[in-house]
Amino acid sequence: MKSHPAQADLHRFALALEYNGLTFSGWQRQRSSELTTVQAELELALSSVADRPVTAVCAGRTDAGVHASCQIVHFDCEIDRGDKAWTLGINSLLPATIRVLWSKPVGQEFHARFSATARRYVYVIYSAKIGSALLVGQLCHLHHDLDVCRMQKAAEFLVGEQDFSAFRAAGCQSRSPFRNVFEANVYQSGAYCIFDIRANAFLQHMVRNISGALIRIGKGDRDPEWIEELLNTKDRTRAGVTAPPNGLYLMQVDYPPHFELPLTSRLPLLLGSSDVASERTD
């Protein structure tokens, strides 16, 4: 039986993934073969190209129905098949709802999750009496308008390092409820209301729970200061409903400059916002 290669004999690669989460049971591979996940599909394609089992590690595990415009993944392999194989070759084996955007060799010190310094999510709401047939499963549809100014005022209370227990899922396994939010903004582009938040890390369902609270504020059911009150109570039961997953996108993951990873940040051009629907590759 072939022995496992030493760590020094392995090549490590970073990939950027874009995927539509509508048909997937989240990122993480599940025990049940009936559940389709992004990780399982990617590992199947990687293993086929590598001609040996490959395990993929992601920057942030997205839930069922959640999308990613730039999920970062790393994997180890004994052989470097080359950039064309790790991008075009992998894409030819993946479903059309998952795409590798780029690949890059990295050192063993790089870790997709633990090397990350920040994650950025956006939550997209479409306010219209009639929903869009073209964007089914890609956003949260509301039948009424939202007061974006009130929502922005509320979002300002999120900035800083603090206890986000009021916005964590009951089953969240994180040891600490503290997270450091660097930026939190709400803005409007036509019929779209976009909540854009960047932090060092996020608790399970944190962005969707905050989005649910912001929607109530935007509808006028609560004052903007309600966010501050919820943070102080640390009580999830007072924060209201969790927003649906289909409006949530993992937009960007930041790493220290010395890793020299390309920076790609994009959402479907149908959103019509130059701020969100932009693609940068540095």
Side-chain angles (χ1 to χ4, degrees), residues 54-97:
V54 173
T55 300
V57 178
C58 73
R61 292 178 294 181
T62 52
D63 295 325
V66 176
H67 318 292
S69 66
C70 192
Q71 168 77 273
I72 304 298
V73 173
H74 85 254
F75 68 94
D76 293 330
C77 186
E78 298 169 60
I79 300 174
D80 184 356
R81 299 294 192 192
D83 178 69
K84 187 175 181 179
W86 298 135
T87 53
L88 300 181
I90 297 298
N91 284 336
S92 71
L93 299 173
L94 289 170
T97 47

Side-chain angles (χ1 to χ4, degrees), residues 244-260:
N246 45 300
L248 184 59
Y249 292 77
L250 174 57
M251 186 77 169
Q252 183 178 315
V253 186
D254 295 341
Y255 294 92
H258 69 267
F259 288 121
E260 298 182 337

Side-chain angles (χ1 to χ4, degrees), residues 123-132 135-144 191 215 244 246-247:
Y123 194 86
V124 184
I125 303 164
Y126 181 60
S127 297
K129 291 183 179 180
I130 299 175
S132 170
L135 295 174
V136 170
Q138 295 185 43
L139 43 72
C140 172
H141 173 231
L142 296 180
H143 297 278
H144 43 73
I215 288 172
N246 45 300

